[in-house]
Amino acid sequence: MRQSGKRLIARKAFLPLAAAGCLVAGFAGTALANDELTTLSANPKNWAMPAGNYANHRYSELKQITKDNVKNLQVKWSFSTGVLRGHEGGPLVIGDVMYVHTPFPNIVYALDLNKDGKILWKYEPKQDPNVIGIMCCDTVNRGVAYGDGKIILNQADTTVVALDAKTGKVVWSIKNGDKTDGGKGESGTAAPLVVKDKVIIGVSGAEFGVRGWTAAYNLKDGSLAWKAYSTGPDAETLLDPEKTTHLGKPVGKDSGMNTWEGEQWKTGGGTTWGWFSYDPKTNLVYYGTGNPSTWNPVQRPGDNRWSMTLMARDADTGMAKWLYQMTPHDEWDYDGVNESILVDGLKIDGKPRDVLVHMDRNGFGYTLDRATGELLVAKKYDPKVNWATEVVMDPKSKEYGRPQVVAKYSTQQNGEDSNSTGICPAALGSKDQQPATYSPKTGLFYVPTNHVCMDYEPYKVSYTAGQPYVGATVSMYPAPDSHGGMGNFIAWDAAKGEIVWSKPEQFSVWSGALATAGDVVFYGTLEGYIKAVDLNGKELYRFKTPSGIIGNINTFEHGGKQYIAVLSGVGGWAGIGLAGGLLSPENAAAWHGAVDQGRAQGDQTATVGTAGLGAVGGYAALADYTTLGGQLTVFGLPE
């Protein structure tokens, strides 16, 4: 047990309560953690998992707040987190206690819902500040997890801690990464997922050449259960060359090595900083891997497996059952880490299928059979996507499952030191990690999206541990010949691969969405508005919170009343200009000096515009609408 380097303020011990009123924090064995979480998440009064349930639905059966009365919402109470950086993720609610997290330094608060958020305890880890500099796209954290009476926190420095949910005291602490001082570029931003008696967790840092992995730690004591790398030999990727399949065919021996040149796979990226989901019926954990390193495709020939890949792994052993690489030999930084949403009985061509739905950064919405990995649907969910014409769906074709790249937008074909222009989407994708929601009432997915294009110029870089390993200059701008904004909030039919409706937004919709049984869908905007729309996309309510919203909207019930909660605090990749101070020419020049390995930066306008991996210029106007913040706001209906 490692308890040094933290500060703890204990106020009062409150036990979380399950729906029936029984104590859940005192479950004796971690083997029961899965049943406990299943029970907690089935009770809509709680928000017991980062996405609400194992299937990542982000849907609630609560329906006191309806399309008819949502216009009457008012702020009930608020809470300042004390941190002014990008606030992604959202709070957990278990019984009478809400658990709130922050960006670096990754404070966790337990708040008493009986007393409008009185602090029960506070945990603040002490981390090496050098970690801040190696977090590519703001110092975000996407939330904590609960299991077996513990709150699990994935710290920025890759330390994973289990806190006693009643007191905040450290139960165990382990290092997920090799170094906790940023020395290898590894960082932690993803929310953990508790599955059975294990904690599933990933790693960030592909922009520093970090070789990605997913690990499972035993919930009881933090000991390592299994670890699966995204690249490398079968023994380290946990692939069976005969039994693990890619689009129905065995992957073959050492598939995580033989599509790389030499030993590039050792610094090949494929980090795992997105969301995890779990299917108890198949006992499979699902997640996606990120970009290959570097961003310069000319330097890394081959498909670069298994970056940009959906993975289905056995929760107990980590062995992969199936894989699907969505963007082979990525040339645009279209990380595959976005959430996978699991739906039972979705009718495709008249036949019910248990599916996985994934809205990828590359602009294609995928629907797969989640037991076998069979590709069922792959269609564009933003009309401006142009880097590829289609994904080949004929299983008999040699190109089956592969996107058909348009030469004009291929940064590989255009070559090093050549600026490929007008590529849609931009590197941050038609959607980044901001999670969608699924409504079983409508059978539709409600998706926060980016409507952004880019110019992309790759250049040669060299690898040094702990130093940026990017190799591309990017500029971003609103999709041309469209509504002029940088985002849409859409309804998506995953069975047909069609947009049902689309609501334009001035900036990217960077918040996680929420659908409820009250026929209301919520999302937040970068300007700071929380919005509610009906099932046809008609806006019913808006409220301006103190800062831009990149957090995920949750709902819970307490004292017989339904509430809506959201974190506001502009930042993330889209808001890095504000959060990182990169709108300042001096700071932008310093950023380039750290990242560009001596490459000429251009004039002041270009220096600022291409800072933050291209986002600073694209979202510069955001500074006219919001500023830094860090606040939880809780909404409810009038008394």
Side-chain angles (χ1 to χ4, degrees):
M1 187 189 310
R2 183 161 64 92
Q3 297 192 42
S4 61
K6 56 91 179 176
R7 286 178 285 173
L8 179 67
I9 301 174
R11 299 295 176 92
K12 187 176 180 182
F14 276 71
L15 289 173
L17 300 179
C22 63
L23 297 179
V24 301
F27 272 56
T30 54
L32 295 175
N34 189 35
D35 292 338
E36 175 194 11
L37 270 175
T38 300
T39 300
L40 286 171
S41 63
N43 178 1
K45 296 180 180 180
N46 301 310
W47 193 272
M49 299 185 196
N53 62 10
Y54 279 126
N56 278 355
H57 285 176
R58 298 196 52 77
Y59 175 82
S60 175
E61 293 288 350
L62 296 180
K63 53 185 178 181
Q64 287 185 10
I65 298 170
T66 70
K67 61 182 178 62
D68 297 318
N69 64 22
V70 69
K71 64 181 181 292
N72 300 322
L73 279 184
Q74 55 188 220
V75 175
K76 292 299 183 179
W77 57 274
S78 61
F79 176 80
S80 174
T81 68
V83 181
L84 300 179
R85 290 297 291 250
H87 283 59
E88 291 184 345
L92 298 184
V93 175
I94 301 172
D96 295 327
V97 182
M98 175 184 285
Y99 300 96
V100 178
H101 69 287
T102 77
F104 189 95
N106 305 136
I107 302 168
V108 179
Y109 299 96
L111 305 181
D112 183 359
L113 295 179
N114 290 318
K115 298 183 179 180
D116 290 343
K118 179 183 178 183
I119 299 171
L120 299 173
W121 55 256
K122 171 185 176 182
Y123 171 83
E124 183 172 356
K126 183 179 180 181
Q127 303 180 72
D128 192 318
N130 288 330
V131 173
I132 296 173
I134 57 94
M135 301 184 76
C136 101
C137 311
D138 201 7
T139 60
V140 296
N141 183 285
R142 298 185 184 92
V144 296
Y146 173 85
D148 190 37
K150 304 176 183 74
I151 296 296
I152 312 299
L153 169 67
N154 180 21
Q155 295 178 185
D157 66 357
T158 74
T159 300
V160 181
V161 295
L163 309 173
D164 187 299
K166 296 180 292 182
T167 67
K169 293 181 178 179
V170 174
V171 179
W172 52 256
S173 174
I174 59 94
K175 290 197 303 180
N176 185 41
D178 292 334
K179 293 188 176 183
T180 57
D181 62 358
K184 289 190 68 176
E186 302 162 331
S187 59
T189 58
L193 183 68
V194 173
V195 174
K196 302 169 91 172
D197 60 349
K198 295 178 176 61
V199 178
I200 311 296
I201 207 145
V203 69
S204 304
E207 279 64 52
F208 291 79
V210 172
R211 179 186 171 210
W213 71 83
T214 295
Y217 295 96
N218 290 308
L219 181 57
K220 181 179 180 180
D221 58 11
S223 58
L224 182 66
W226 54 260
K227 185 175 185 178
Y229 283 92
S230 303
T231 65
D234 292 339
E236 297 179 5
T237 55
L238 301 189
L239 305 184
D240 185 315
E242 302 297 330
K243 295 181 180 179
T244 303
T245 61
H246 178 255
L247 293 173
K249 296 181 179 180
V251 295
K253 184 179 179 181
D254 291 334
S255 57
M257 297 172 62
N258 58 26
T259 63
W260 293 86
E261 187 174 82
E263 294 188 337
Q264 284 188 332
W265 56 269
K266 291 184 177 180
T267 55
T271 50
T272 48
W273 52 272
W275 302 94
F276 300 94
S277 50
Y278 171 64
D279 180 5
K281 292 191 294 186
T282 61
N283 197 39
L284 294 176
V285 172
Y286 304 92
Y287 65 94
T289 63
N291 63 281
S293 305
T294 84
W295 285 28
N296 178 0
V298 180
Q299 284 189 250
R300 44 172 174 77
D303 278 357
N304 309 135
R305 292 181 172 179
W306 292 102
S307 65
M308 308 307 212
T309 298
L310 290 175
M311 296 192 166
R313 294 189 180 274
D314 184 277
D316 299 321
T317 66
M319 288 297 297
K321 182 174 182 182
W322 60 260
L323 313 170
Y324 172 49
Q325 188 179 45
M326 296 166 288
T327 312
H329 187 65
D330 171 68
E331 308 172 36
W332 313 270
D333 189 48
Y334 293 153
D335 289 50
V337 301
N338 292 352
E339 74 284 356
S340 293
I341 302 175
L342 313 183
V343 176
D344 291 341
L346 187 69
K347 286 191 176 181
I348 298 177
D349 296 329
K351 180 181 179 182
R353 306 289 293 263
D354 289 350
V355 300
L356 175 157
V357 175
H358 173 89
M359 313 299 284
D360 196 62
R361 256 187 28 194
N362 70 13
F364 285 85
Y366 296 90
T367 306
L368 298 94
D369 184 298
R370 69 174 186 261
T372 66
E374 178 188 354
L375 184 60
L376 304 172
V377 177
K379 293 289 187 180
K380 298 176 183 180
Y381 63 94
D382 186 288
K384 289 298 181 179
V385 173
N386 64 12
W387 70 276
T389 56
E390 64 176 346
V391 173
V392 175
M393 299 298 292
D394 182 3
K396 297 179 181 178
S397 171
K398 292 182 180 180
E399 293 291 299
Y400 176 43
R402 295 183 73 96
Q404 299 302 287
V405 177
V406 176
K408 177 181 178 181
Y409 304 119
S410 170
T411 68
Q412 167 76 39
Q413 296 181 49
N414 294 336
E416 285 182 350
D417 303 316
S418 176
N419 193 26
S420 299
T421 62
I423 302 169
C424 306
L428 41 66
S430 293
K431 186 180 97 59
D432 199 19
Q433 60 75 35
Q434 62 268 36
T437 178
Y438 167 74
S439 171
K441 286 188 71 173
T442 65
L444 297 178
F445 298 76
Y446 302 94
V447 188
T449 74
N450 311 317
H451 196 54
V452 185
C453 301
M454 69 175 172
D455 301 339
Y456 189 113
E457 182 174 350
Y459 58 88
K460 189 173 182 178
V461 287
S462 58
Y463 173 77
T464 301
Q467 298 300 312
Y469 189 47
V470 179
T473 299
V474 178
S475 58
M476 301 182 186
Y477 40 85
D481 302 320
S482 188
H483 55 71
M486 301 178 76
N488 295 299
F489 189 69
I490 71 168
W492 176 254
D493 185 330
K496 298 178 180 179
E498 295 179 354
I499 299 171
V500 178
W501 52 256
S502 180
K503 183 178 183 295
E505 287 289 347
Q506 181 173 0
F507 297 102
S508 295
V509 185
W510 208 268
S511 79
L514 168 74
T516 74
D519 296 333
V520 184
V521 183
F522 294 89
Y523 67 96
T525 74
L526 280 169
E527 308 100 295
Y529 288 103
I530 181 173
K531 295 186 176 184
V533 299
D534 67 14
L535 300 180
N536 295 312
K538 179 184 177 182
E539 187 172 307
L540 304 173
Y541 173 81
R542 66 163 63 188
F543 180 87
K544 185 81 177 294
T545 65
S547 185
I549 296 176
I550 63 171
N552 302 336
I553 300 173
N554 296 349
T555 188
F556 63 96
E557 182 180 313
H558 184 257
K561 297 177 181 178
Q562 183 183 357
Y563 296 92
I564 304 293
V566 67
L567 287 167
S568 59
V570 72
W573 192 355
I576 193 62
L578 283 169
L582 298 183
L583 289 166
S584 158
E586 294 79 11
N587 292 345
W591 182 90
H592 280 286
V595 171
D596 291 354
Q597 298 192 7
R599 184 178 174 85
Q601 299 173 11
D603 62 20
Q604 187 176 98
T605 299
T607 297
V608 173
T610 58
L613 303 175
V616 175
Y619 294 85
L622 190 56
D624 296 333
Y625 295 88
T626 191
T627 188
L628 300 181
Q631 179 172 307
L632 170 77
T633 308
V634 178
F635 300 84
L637 294 171
E639 299 295 334

